[in-house]
Amino acid sequence: MNQIRSRGQNFTQPTSPPPINFKAEKQRLIASFVKVEPRFDINKVDRNVLNSLFAWVWRKDEFNVLNLDFDKGLFLYGPLGLGKSMTMLALRQYMNWVKYHYEQKRDDYRLQAWMKSASVLANLYAVDGQPKLIQYADPEVNLVIDEFGREPCPAKYFGTEMNVLQFLLQLRYDHRRSSVTHITTNMKLADIAPKYGAYVADRCLEMFNFIEFKGESFRSSL
């Protein structure tokens, strides 16, 4: 007589994912910087900024020296040559790694992002008009806007002028709960209102963590 097996006998209990080695993950983040810029010198990076960006990726308060809001985007600002764009490129690369290699992070909507310079976005409007920009305001698209403030303003499409980044940020503000926007720029918050209007400047406070980059230009030593 065949033995009747109890229901579920052949199934194994699900196992918890292995604990994360955060020391190794910090080294992986640093390796992302080196991949973006082989002459990268970790000694020239503000450790408070680095630790807080790491905390933002993992939503870990213990590393969050700057008290970043994990649901807001990153607004990296400061003078030329301090590694803002490099930081964002490295962070994007690291976020992709985390999302694809850790099952518990795959549903974290923040960990992938398109990246376009502000000038490219303005030129898209100048060539193809407003419909071309709508994809960058999609509620499921995270977006890095590099060199914010250096784009031609206003841009013209067949004689119709538009402040493209003002328009885009207004749309993206409406989706701030489902997607994040990141910015690298030489502008401070006080510079935003004169160029993009008080409305956008006020909404930026709800959209971004403001992280200032200080010191001497990296480019002089690279």
Side-chain angles (χ1 to χ4, degrees):
M1 180 181 293
N2 291 332
Q3 184 178 5
I4 298 175
R5 298 183 180 182
S6 62
R7 183 175 298 176
Q9 183 176 336
N10 291 331
F11 293 95
T12 58
Q13 292 294 325
T15 58
S16 300
I20 297 166
N21 184 337
F22 286 111
K23 183 176 181 180
E25 286 305 319
K26 279 191 177 181
Q27 291 304 311
R28 196 181 305 280
L29 174 59
I30 293 170
S32 296
F33 278 85
V34 174
K35 189 170 183 179
V36 170
E37 174 47 71
R39 294 169 292 178
F40 171 74
D41 185 353
I42 186 61
N43 295 316
K44 293 186 177 180
V45 173
D46 186 327
R47 296 304 178 97
N48 289 338
V49 170
L50 189 65
N51 285 332
S52 296
L53 293 176
F54 185 78
W56 188 91
V57 173
W58 288 100
R59 295 182 180 268
K60 294 288 287 184
D61 287 327
E62 63 192 272
F63 305 119
N64 192 14
V65 185
L66 300 180
N67 295 315
L68 302 183
D69 185 326
F70 299 146
D71 293 313
K72 291 182 179 182
L74 307 169
F75 190 105
L76 311 185
Y77 71 98
L80 292 170
L82 297 187
K84 300 179 296 296
S85 296
M86 177 184 67
T87 296
M88 191 55 70
L89 285 167
L91 192 65
R92 282 181 71 236
Q93 185 179 101
Y94 178 66
M95 288 192 295
N96 285 335
W97 162 268
V98 169
K99 188 172 181 70
Y100 285 111
H101 287 83
Y102 287 94
E103 184 177 352
Q104 60 268 50
K105 296 296 285 183
R106 286 177 190 163
D107 292 331
D108 191 334
Y109 69 93
R110 308 166 307 143
L111 297 188
Q112 283 182 299
W114 297 359
M115 187 168 184
K116 292 288 183 182
S117 74
S119 293
V120 166
L121 292 169
N123 287 332
L124 282 175
Y125 171 77
V127 173
D128 294 309
Q130 185 173 314
K132 192 71 173 182
L133 295 174
I134 298 301
Q135 62 182 316
Y136 297 100
D138 190 289
E140 296 185 359
V141 169
N142 301 319
L143 179 64
V144 179
I145 303 173
D146 193 31
E147 297 188 335
F148 179 70
R150 299 187 67 186
E151 75 281 359
C153 182
K156 285 187 178 182
Y157 176 69
F158 287 103
T160 302
E161 294 186 342
M162 177 186 282
N163 187 326
V164 172
L165 272 296
Q166 179 191 60
F167 168 76
L168 197 54
L169 286 179
Q170 287 174 339
L171 293 180
R172 292 195 60 81
Y173 170 80
D174 293 336
H175 306 308
R176 67 194 182 282
R177 307 296 185 194
S178 61
S179 63
V180 290
T181 309
H182 308 297
I183 279 177
T184 71
T185 185
N186 307 130
M187 302 176 71
K188 298 180 181 179
L189 180 59
D191 301 324
I192 296 176
K195 186 162 186 174
Y196 301 106
Y199 179 93
V200 168
D202 184 61
R203 267 87 186 140
C204 282
L205 294 173
E206 296 183 60
M207 294 175 68
F208 298 111
N209 295 290
F210 289 83
I211 304 174
E212 185 176 9
F213 279 51
K214 303 176 183 178
E216 297 181 3
S217 172
F218 289 162
R219 295 193 180 103
S220 61
S221 57
L222 290 180

